[in-house]
Amino acid sequence: MAAIKISARVEAAVWEELEALAADNGRTVSGVLAEAIADYVRRHRMHPEVLSHLDDSLRENKALGRLLAE
């Protein structure tokens, strides 16, 4: 798959944390960012019926969710 170059602005402190995380894991910042973007896209590309079931479940279990949050 072809790669493209991107540009983005992030807080300096967040960038430093990202660099440290990448280094700690023996990875490049570019590799960590590519993985993070792919994960973000995958998580946010849910089918509408899945989201509908999730909404139904959250609504049906609202009281349980509050108990678990305490």
Side-chain angles (χ1 to χ4, degrees):
M1 178 183 296
I4 63 166
K5 188 173 183 174
I6 63 170
S7 175
R9 291 182 175 271
V10 296
E11 294 291 327
V14 172
W15 181 258
E16 291 167 5
E17 287 183 47
L18 180 64
E19 287 180 312
L21 179 64
D24 290 347
N25 289 286
R27 304 200 43 209
T28 64
V29 169
S30 180
V32 173
L33 285 173
E35 181 182 342
I37 292 168
D39 286 346
Y40 180 89
V41 169
R42 198 171 18 259
R43 282 194 323 266
H44 289 83
R45 288 265 186 210
M46 287 188 187
H47 294 284
E49 66 184 46
V50 173
L51 292 175
S52 175
H53 288 296
L54 177 60
D55 286 341
D56 291 344
S57 179
L58 289 172
R59 194 172 27 262
E60 291 169 10
N61 296 294
K62 193 172 188 175
L64 176 60
R66 277 196 292 264
L67 285 172
L68 291 171
E70 291 178 359

